[in-house]
Amino acid sequence: MECRKATVLISCPDRKGLVAAIANLLYELGANILHADQHLDRGAGMFFQRIQFELPDLADLRTVIGRKCESLGMTFRLVWADQRKRTAILVSKQDHCLWDLLLRHRAGELATDVACVLSNHADAGDVARTFGVPFHHLPVTPETKAAQQQALVERLAEAQVDLVVLARYMQILSGDFLTHVAVPVINIHHSFLPAFVGERPYHRAHERGVKLIGATGHYVTAELDAGPIIEQDVVRTTHADDVDDLVRKGRDLEKVVLARAVRAHLDDRVLVYGNKTVVF
Amino acid sequence: MECRKATVLISCPDRKGLVAAIANLLYELGANILHADQHLDRGAGMFFQRIQFELPDLADLRTVIGRKCESLGMTFRLVWADQRKRTAILVSKQDHCLWDLLLRHRAGELATDVACVLSNHADAGDVARTFGVPFHHLPVTPETKAAQQQALVERLAEAQVDLVVLARYMQILSGDFLTHVAVPVINIHHSFLPAFVGERPYHRAHERGVKLIGATGHYVTAELDAGPIIEQDVVRTTHADDVDDLVRKGRDLEKVVLARAVRAHLDDRVLVYGNKTVVF
Amino acid sequence: MECRKATVLISCPDRKGLVAAIANLLYELGANILHADQHLDRGAGMFFQRIQFELPDLADLRTVIGRKCESLGMTFRLVWADQRKRTAILVSKQDHCLWDLLLRHRAGELATDVACVLSNHADAGDVARTFGVPFHHLPVTPETKAAQQQALVERLAEAQVDLVVLARYMQILSGDFLTHVAVPVINIHHSFLPAFVGERPYHRAHERGVKLIGATGHYVTAELDAGPIIEQDVVRTTHADDVDDLVRKGRDLEKVVLARAVRAHLDDRVLVYGNKTVVF
Amino acid sequence: MECRKATVLISCPDRKGLVAAIANLLYELGANILHADQHLDRGAGMFFQRIQFELPDLADLRTVIGRKCESLGMTFRLVWADQRKRTAILVSKQDHCLWDLLLRHRAGELATDVACVLSNHADAGDVARTFGVPFHHLPVTPETKAAQQQALVERLAEAQVDLVVLARYMQILSGDFLTHVAVPVINIHHSFLPAFVGERPYHRAHERGVKLIGATGHYVTAELDAGPIIEQDVVRTTHADDVDDLVRKGRDLEKVVLARAVRAHLDDRVLVYGNKTVVF
């Protein structure tokens, strides 16, 4: 009998016996626990757990776990390792994150299918074609903003994606977009949020004379650059770096930070609560 | 009924049901799991787990857990949070790590009693007295090496220590020392091991022209600078740094790296296997 | 004939021949250049230079250099290495930066005399006495705020200090303070400015769910936490860190960042222009 | 009259007046100094300087500077910014550094022409073609080792390269190779040298249980992995990382470290002396 791998992510108010309850259930189902992580936020009184396990394919596993979790007041998410997520990448003129994600995907670092690349610039098409990924050019002008966003939503719906990655997509998306797309959207912002929310963060960092610049990978919410942070990193700068140097140094940061955030999401290692993340 | 906190550290060959078995046992004993970490080394086929829990004081907990672990082929260690370890600090002329450890201890960062400070130099006495810690001056000459080491062993036995920290203690200790002391010994080595094993690592780093210098906190074994590594870190250097600059920059590294290693040990977050560590 | 070491810091609008002009002047004076750094801010069109040199003591060096710099439209600062600056350290309840600075001073890392330690808490007195540094306890209540600040100013004037270091001094100082003290004031702020300006930055960092916390050493200006940044650094945090963990991790950062900022200032490696610094 | 940019790199035994002598010469030639860095190695008694300047094109600049430097006992190197170096990239199966260098080149980060890509594997051909760079497949077997190396040397001679980059080229090159190629060769080694010289450094790092892995960009000399280090960096690892994780994390390091080393060389910011580098 063949085994399948799965991951279950659980959150609920903390109380005694939660670990044992889940461990027992999995044991009774014949599952072998491969990895388990947990976190207790004492301030919030919340318990979080991620368990990777393998077991003989049980058609009704979701029902069985669902029943148990319900009886324990738990919220849960169950994902099978062999059901790969479908990802769309949105990009504007700066294509370094796009290249980086596609190269990592080819190297096997990202457990996903890249469903499509969408851009308001035609240039990204060549990159997508290099990797054999469908490309849609959706140009935008101040006048066509709403229509273009509608077209984006339609393309994403057609592509049946589970994740949207904004890999330096420089158009502001309205709250509607999130509602209609209805899957997680990860953005890379080129500053160490919450510093330098909004436009031209490298210029403002240069003006403020900071000695470090950063990048932040976060889930997109209706409020600009204010969503739950998944990953951040920084690089040292000096007075000798002009804005162009910050942009250059920042590219390396953006690539790595976005890739780590996307990888964590694809591996189902991220739990969102309040406006924060647990990254197992 | 009052509750006590405890930590159990487990290692054994991997097999199915281990997590559930322990979670169950603790649940049946009325324990509340506060934190659990586990690690599976697939290459070695070994399973490691650390569980922090609280439970009503059971006089025979050690026996109960011991019986269970034996039946499962597990090696285990059980420690009560309220049984503070006793630590001795050995130091030579350079006293920055000594100051650092004693200040961190006073700030509540290190869950231990500092039993005594031992040194082959008299100077450290002032530091120890500042913190009200017993001090023993055990000078050493090439002729008195063996006798001094014997005196060290006796002092440590009298002080009934659970941990010895070599906070820049620059005398080489013989294999005998470890045998007689019979508690873990943590050393700070001023290089990123395995580079620059042995003497004068900063001089050799300068000569080799490295662009980073490091420090390593590790358990001491009979082989010089070859014991299991607990923590390492590095700092950037340039051609403009002479050996004195490396020594100065290195001091900051040594303090932080040693403190993290000692803290991890005192919090019972370190499991040694082979010549490596799991640091939960 | 004995030689003295000096440093000259120069800034002026950029134009051709500046480097040669100064190099020549020093050569003609019989000076040996030990180290020279320069920076050209193209955006601002400003040239900055720092030259360390040694030369036979010329009583009128300041006049000679001054005349040259005036003729070239340069602003300059001349400091003799053997005229040590006098530093006052202000501290409140948290004393880790105070310990750190005094230990570094004793280890020879900071080229200054510590003139005095001032605190609104009595506790810091023990620390100051350990190092034989004069201590003044200047308690403060909401009612005595103005009077206490006046007393601070008087103590600093009596002590004839060249630098004031706010080593976690938690009282807000009015703009008047800076005017009356009339020497540079360096503060350590426990966030990566400009994020989390103001109070309780670790609490706000925890709430925002950042994955890095930072510390910033900066010159104090009338506007809170908005002065020129000298040094910044960060440390990684995770969802598992509660506010107490951030505070603990932050202490290590604060110590190192403040020490680097103070050291750079004392070594005359910092030039302020606009609201930014050149740190040679 | 148009201006050209140039860089002069100087090294010589230290003595008084060196800075003034060069600054003067450049001033007299009508040059405008854009940036100057210098370093004095007190231990070695050596002085190093790098000056970027712009001046009206003087056909005999090299002669004029050469005469001056000779009279001062200086070794010098003069490079015109508009004479781009020609670079060859050698690669084996792992192509992440190749992609990275070619993408950076396209983004304008590397001031060079990429003359060709050479590989013992055919796969790299597709990468080279994506960027329109000539590719030569030079397969190698244990029997054809010497002949293949000879072919490499010939290709490099034909391509008239100024720099050879080993971007994870996994064949050991003989001392002869360096002699015949007669231009600098930069290698990326996947460890923090001098730790883990030679083969399979990630496997050995895993076995040793280090808590950091590193990468080193260095000039190749006859002795394996022992040449002058240009750049190093590290990334944190834990017990949870198996060898595959180290390889994956290491790829990001290798790319960045190699790119920084190559960029420093191409910008003429590196001076080699003894077995070390000054990187301005």
Side-chain angles (χ1 to χ4, degrees):
Chain A
M1 193 172 54
E2 219 177 325
C3 266
R4 289 177 78 191
K5 282 191 196 176
T7 300
V8 65
L9 290 152
I10 288 166
S11 61
C12 63
D14 186 41
R15 66 167 203 275
K16 214 188 273 196
L18 293 171
V19 172
I22 296 296
N24 255 323
L25 173 66
L26 290 172
Y27 184 64
E28 286 162 13
L29 293 171
N32 188 27
I33 292 178
L34 301 172
H35 199 80
D37 285 297
Q38 53 145 108
H39 171 57
L40 176 59
D41 184 327
R42 284 166 193 281
M46 288 293 289
F47 173 84
F48 305 92
Q49 196 170 28
R50 174 184 186 268
I51 308 180
Q52 270 190 299
F53 55 94
E54 53 187 7
L55 85 174
D57 189 0
L58 288 175
D60 57 349
L61 180 69
R62 191 176 299 273
T63 316
V64 174
I65 290 189
R67 208 175 300 139
K68 186 71 174 185
C69 285
E70 196 182 354
S71 80
L72 292 162
M74 290 170 165
T75 303
F76 85 105
R77 196 161 91 222
L78 175 72
V79 280
W80 292 101
D82 53 13
Q83 291 179 344
R84 283 165 78 86
K85 293 181 182 61
R86 292 173 59 77
T87 299
I89 305 176
L90 272 64
V91 64
S92 292
K93 204 158 188 77
Q94 302 249 23
D95 61 8
H96 53 284
C97 285
L98 175 64
W99 276 105
D100 186 71
L101 289 171
L102 292 174
L103 282 166
R104 286 179 196 274
H105 180 252
R106 176 181 284 187
E109 290 186 28
L110 302 174
T112 190
D113 294 325
V114 181
C116 56
V117 171
L118 309 178
S119 179
N120 54 325
H121 289 269
D123 307 356
D126 283 342
V127 187
R129 275 182 289 277
T130 301
F131 295 87
V133 172
F135 174 75
H136 304 289
H137 178 207
L138 300 168
V140 65
T141 64
E143 291 72 37
T144 61
K145 232 172 138 37
Q148 191 253 15
Q149 186 170 302
Q150 181 53 30
L152 273 179
V153 169
E154 283 162 21
R155 290 293 189 215
L156 294 170
E158 282 164 26
Q160 295 187 287
V161 298
D162 304 296
L163 173 68
V164 174
V165 178
L166 307 184
R168 298 298 309 270
Y169 185 71
M170 306 309 281
Q171 300 295 316
I172 291 180
L173 298 163
S174 75
D176 264 13
F177 177 81
L178 294 177
T179 313
H180 288 119
V181 165
V183 299
V185 179
I186 294 178
N187 181 46
I188 180 71
H189 184 73
H190 39 315
S191 82
F192 46 60
L193 291 175
F196 308 122
V197 165
E199 290 196 341
R200 295 164 69 83
Y202 291 134
H203 287 80
R204 287 150 64 206
H206 187 254
E207 206 175 305
R208 179 64 186 92
V210 293
K211 301 300 183 188
L212 300 168
I213 54 165
T216 305
H218 66 95
Y219 289 113
V220 177
T221 56
E223 193 182 340
L224 185 69
D225 298 333
I229 294 170
I230 308 170
E231 171 68 357
Q232 299 187 290
D233 215 338
V234 296
V235 72
R236 188 158 283 274
T237 63
T238 77
H239 60 267
D241 291 313
D242 59 25
V243 172
D244 286 347
D245 292 314
L246 300 193
V247 169
R248 174 179 49 80
K249 289 183 168 186
R251 278 198 294 261
D252 280 340
L253 263 188
E254 294 161 26
K255 288 188 290 188
V256 169
V257 169
L258 178 59
R260 285 192 207 136
V262 168
R263 185 175 153 92
H265 177 87
L266 291 172
D267 292 350
D268 295 298
R269 289 187 284 112
V270 190
L271 264 162
V272 175
Y273 76 109
N275 197 42
K276 299 164 67 167
T277 60
V278 174
V279 182
F280 284 124
Chain B
M1 193 171 53
E2 218 176 327
C3 264
R4 289 178 77 191
K5 282 190 194 175
T7 300
V8 65
L9 290 152
I10 287 165
S11 61
C12 64
D14 186 42
R15 67 168 202 276
K16 213 187 274 198
L18 292 171
V19 171
I22 295 296
N24 255 326
L25 173 67
L26 290 172
Y27 184 64
E28 285 162 14
L29 293 170
N32 187 29
I33 292 178
L34 301 172
H35 199 80
D37 285 297
Q38 53 147 104
H39 170 57
L40 176 59
D41 184 326
R42 285 164 194 281
M46 288 293 290
F47 173 83
F48 305 92
Q49 195 172 29
R50 175 184 185 267
I51 309 181
Q52 267 190 305
F53 56 94
E54 54 187 6
L55 85 175
D57 189 1
L58 288 175
D60 57 350
L61 180 69
R62 191 174 300 272
T63 317
V64 174
I65 290 188
R67 208 175 300 139
K68 186 72 176 183
C69 285
E70 198 182 352
S71 79
L72 293 163
M74 289 170 165
T75 303
F76 84 106
R77 196 162 93 223
L78 175 72
V79 281
W80 292 101
D82 54 13
Q83 290 180 344
R84 281 163 79 85
K85 292 181 182 63
R86 291 174 59 76
T87 299
I89 305 175
L90 272 64
V91 63
S92 292
K93 207 161 185 74
Q94 302 249 23
D95 61 7
H96 53 283
C97 284
L98 175 63
W99 276 106
D100 186 70
L101 289 172
L102 292 174
L103 283 166
R104 285 180 197 274
H105 181 252
R106 177 180 283 185
E109 289 185 29
L110 302 175
T112 189
D113 294 325
V114 181
C116 56
V117 171
L118 308 178
S119 180
N120 54 326
H121 290 270
D123 308 355
D126 283 343
V127 187
R129 275 183 290 278
T130 300
F131 295 87
V133 172
F135 174 75
H136 304 288
H137 178 208
L138 299 169
V140 65
T141 64
E143 291 74 36
T144 62
K145 232 171 135 40
Q148 191 252 14
Q149 185 170 303
Q150 181 53 30
L152 272 181
V153 169
E154 284 162 20
R155 290 297 188 211
L156 293 171
E158 281 164 27
Q160 294 186 287
V161 299
D162 305 295
L163 174 68
V164 175
V165 177
L166 307 183
R168 297 297 311 267
Y169 184 71
M170 305 309 282
Q171 301 294 316
I172 290 179
L173 298 162
S174 75
D176 263 13
F177 179 82
L178 293 176
T179 313
H180 288 119
V181 164
V183 298
V185 179
I186 294 176
N187 182 47
I188 180 72
H189 185 73
H190 39 315
S191 82
F192 46 58
L193 291 174
F196 309 123
V197 165
E199 289 197 340
R200 295 167 69 82
Y202 291 134
H203 288 79
R204 287 150 65 207
H206 187 255
E207 208 173 304
R208 180 64 186 91
V210 294
K211 301 299 184 188
L212 299 168
I213 55 166
T216 305
H218 65 96
Y219 288 113
V220 177
T221 57
E223 194 182 338
L224 185 67
D225 300 331
I229 294 169
I230 309 170
E231 171 67 358
Q232 300 187 290
D233 215 338
V234 296
V235 71
R236 188 159 283 273
T237 63
T238 77
H239 61 266
D241 292 312
D242 59 25
V243 174
D244 287 346
D245 292 315
L246 300 192
V247 169
R248 174 178 51 79
K249 288 183 168 187
R251 278 199 294 263
D252 280 340
L253 263 189
E254 295 162 26
K255 288 188 290 188
V256 168
V257 170
L258 179 58
R260 284 191 207 137
V262 169
R263 185 175 153 93
H265 177 87
L266 291 172
D267 292 350
D268 295 297
R269 290 188 282 113
V270 189
L271 265 163
V272 175
Y273 75 110
N275 198 41
K276 298 163 69 167
T277 60
V278 174
V279 182
F280 283 124
Chain C
M1 194 170 54
E2 218 177 327
C3 265
R4 290 178 77 190
K5 282 190 194 175
T7 300
V8 65
L9 290 152
I10 287 165
S11 59
C12 63
D14 185 41
R15 66 166 203 275
K16 213 186 273 196
L18 292 171
V19 171
I22 296 295
N24 256 325
L25 173 67
L26 290 172
Y27 185 64
E28 285 162 14
L29 293 169
N32 188 27
I33 292 178
L34 301 172
H35 199 81
D37 285 297
Q38 53 146 103
H39 170 58
L40 175 59
D41 184 326
R42 284 164 193 279
M46 288 293 290
F47 173 82
F48 305 92
Q49 195 171 29
R50 174 184 185 267
I51 309 181
Q52 269 190 303
F53 55 95
E54 54 188 6
L55 87 175
D57 189 0
L58 287 174
D60 58 350
L61 180 69
R62 192 175 299 271
T63 316
V64 175
I65 290 188
R67 208 175 299 139
K68 186 72 175 185
C69 285
E70 197 181 352
S71 79
L72 293 163
M74 289 172 165
T75 303
F76 85 105
R77 197 162 92 221
L78 174 72
V79 281
W80 292 100
D82 53 13
Q83 290 180 346
R84 282 163 77 85
K85 293 181 182 62
R86 291 173 59 77
T87 299
I89 304 175
L90 272 65
V91 63
S92 291
K93 207 162 186 74
Q94 302 250 22
D95 61 7
H96 53 283
C97 285
L98 176 63
W99 276 106
D100 186 70
L101 289 172
L102 292 174
L103 283 166
R104 286 179 197 273
H105 181 253
R106 177 181 282 184
E109 289 185 30
L110 302 175
T112 189
D113 294 326
V114 181
C116 56
V117 171
L118 308 178
S119 180
N120 54 325
H121 289 269
D123 308 355
D126 283 343
V127 187
R129 275 183 289 278
T130 301
F131 295 86
V133 172
F135 174 75
H136 304 289
H137 178 209
L138 299 169
V140 64
T141 63
E143 290 74 36
T144 62
K145 233 171 136 42
Q148 192 253 14
Q149 186 170 303
Q150 181 54 29
L152 272 181
V153 169
E154 283 163 21
R155 291 295 188 212
L156 294 171
E158 281 164 27
Q160 295 186 287
V161 299
D162 304 294
L163 174 67
V164 174
V165 177
L166 307 184
R168 297 297 311 268
Y169 185 70
M170 305 309 282
Q171 300 294 316
I172 290 179
L173 298 163
S174 76
D176 262 13
F177 179 82
L178 293 176
T179 312
H180 288 119
V181 165
V183 297
V185 179
I186 294 176
N187 181 48
I188 180 72
H189 185 73
H190 39 315
S191 82
F192 46 60
L193 290 174
F196 308 123
V197 165
E199 290 196 340
R200 296 166 67 85
Y202 291 133
H203 287 79
R204 286 150 65 205
H206 187 255
E207 207 173 305
R208 180 64 185 91
V210 293
K211 300 300 183 188
L212 300 168
I213 55 166
T216 305
H218 65 96
Y219 289 113
V220 177
T221 57
E223 194 182 338
L224 185 68
D225 300 331
I229 294 169
I230 308 170
E231 171 67 357
Q232 299 186 292
D233 215 338
V234 296
V235 71
R236 188 158 283 274
T237 63
T238 76
H239 61 267
D241 291 312
D242 59 26
V243 173
D244 287 346
D245 293 313
L246 300 193
V247 169
R248 174 178 50 79
K249 289 183 167 185
R251 278 198 295 263
D252 280 340
L253 262 189
E254 295 162 26
K255 288 188 290 188
V256 168
V257 170
L258 179 59
R260 284 191 207 137
V262 168
R263 186 176 154 93
H265 177 88
L266 291 172
D267 292 350
D268 296 298
R269 290 188 281 113
V270 190
L271 265 163
V272 175
Y273 75 110
N275 197 41
K276 298 163 68 167
T277 61
V278 173
V279 182
F280 283 124
Chain D
M1 194 171 55
E2 218 177 325
C3 265
R4 288 179 76 191
K5 282 190 195 176
T7 301
V8 64
L9 290 152
I10 287 165
S11 60
C12 64
D14 186 40
R15 67 167 203 274
K16 213 187 274 194
L18 292 171
V19 172
I22 296 296
N24 255 322
L25 173 66
L26 290 172
Y27 183 65
E28 286 162 13
L29 293 170
N32 188 28
I33 292 178
L34 301 172
H35 199 81
D37 285 297
Q38 52 146 106
H39 170 58
L40 176 59
D41 184 325
R42 284 164 194 282
M46 288 293 289
F47 173 84
F48 305 92
Q49 196 171 28
R50 174 185 187 268
I51 309 182
Q52 269 190 302
F53 55 94
E54 53 187 7
L55 86 174
D57 189 0
L58 288 174
D60 57 349
L61 180 68
R62 191 175 300 271
T63 317
V64 175
I65 290 188
R67 207 175 301 138
K68 186 71 174 184
C69 285
E70 195 181 355
S71 79
L72 292 162
M74 290 171 165
T75 304
F76 84 105
R77 196 162 91 222
L78 175 71
V79 281
W80 292 102
D82 53 14
Q83 290 180 344
R84 283 165 76 87
K85 293 181 182 62
R86 292 174 58 78
T87 299
I89 305 175
L90 272 65
V91 63
S92 291
K93 206 161 185 76
Q94 301 249 22
D95 60 9
H96 53 284
C97 285
L98 176 63
W99 277 105
D100 186 70
L101 289 172
L102 292 174
L103 283 166
R104 285 179 197 275
H105 181 253
R106 176 181 284 187
E109 290 185 29
L110 303 174
T112 190
D113 294 327
V114 182
C116 57
V117 171
L118 309 178
S119 179
N120 54 326
H121 289 269
D123 308 355
D126 284 342
V127 187
R129 274 182 290 277
T130 301
F131 295 86
V133 173
F135 174 75
H136 304 289
H137 178 207
L138 299 169
V140 64
T141 64
E143 291 73 36
T144 61
K145 231 172 137 38
Q148 191 253 13
Q149 185 169 305
Q150 182 53 30
L152 273 180
V153 169
E154 284 162 21
R155 290 293 189 214
L156 293 171
E158 282 164 25
Q160 296 187 287
V161 298
D162 306 294
L163 174 68
V164 174
V165 178
L166 307 183
R168 300 296 311 268
Y169 185 71
M170 306 308 282
Q171 301 294 316
I172 291 180
L173 298 163
S174 76
D176 263 13
F177 179 80
L178 293 176
T179 313
H180 288 118
V181 165
V183 298
V185 179
I186 294 177
N187 181 47
I188 181 72
H189 185 73
H190 39 315
S191 81
F192 46 60
L193 291 175
F196 308 122
V197 165
E199 290 197 341
R200 294 166 68 84
Y202 291 133
H203 287 80
R204 287 149 66 204
H206 188 255
E207 207 174 305
R208 180 64 187 91
V210 294
K211 300 300 183 187
L212 300 168
I213 55 166
T216 305
H218 65 96
Y219 288 114
V220 176
T221 56
E223 193 181 339
L224 185 68
D225 299 333
I229 294 170
I230 308 170
E231 171 67 358
Q232 299 187 291
D233 215 337
V234 296
V235 72
R236 188 158 283 273
T237 63
T238 77
H239 60 267
D241 292 312
D242 59 25
V243 173
D244 287 346
D245 292 315
L246 300 192
V247 169
R248 175 178 50 81
K249 288 183 168 188
R251 279 198 294 260
D252 280 339
L253 263 188
E254 295 162 26
K255 289 187 290 187
V256 168
V257 169
L258 179 58
R260 285 189 207 139
V262 169
R263 185 175 154 93
H265 177 88
L266 291 172
D267 292 349
D268 295 297
R269 290 188 283 111
V270 190
L271 264 162
V272 175
Y273 75 110
N275 198 40
K276 299 163 67 168
T277 60
V278 174
V279 182
F280 284 125

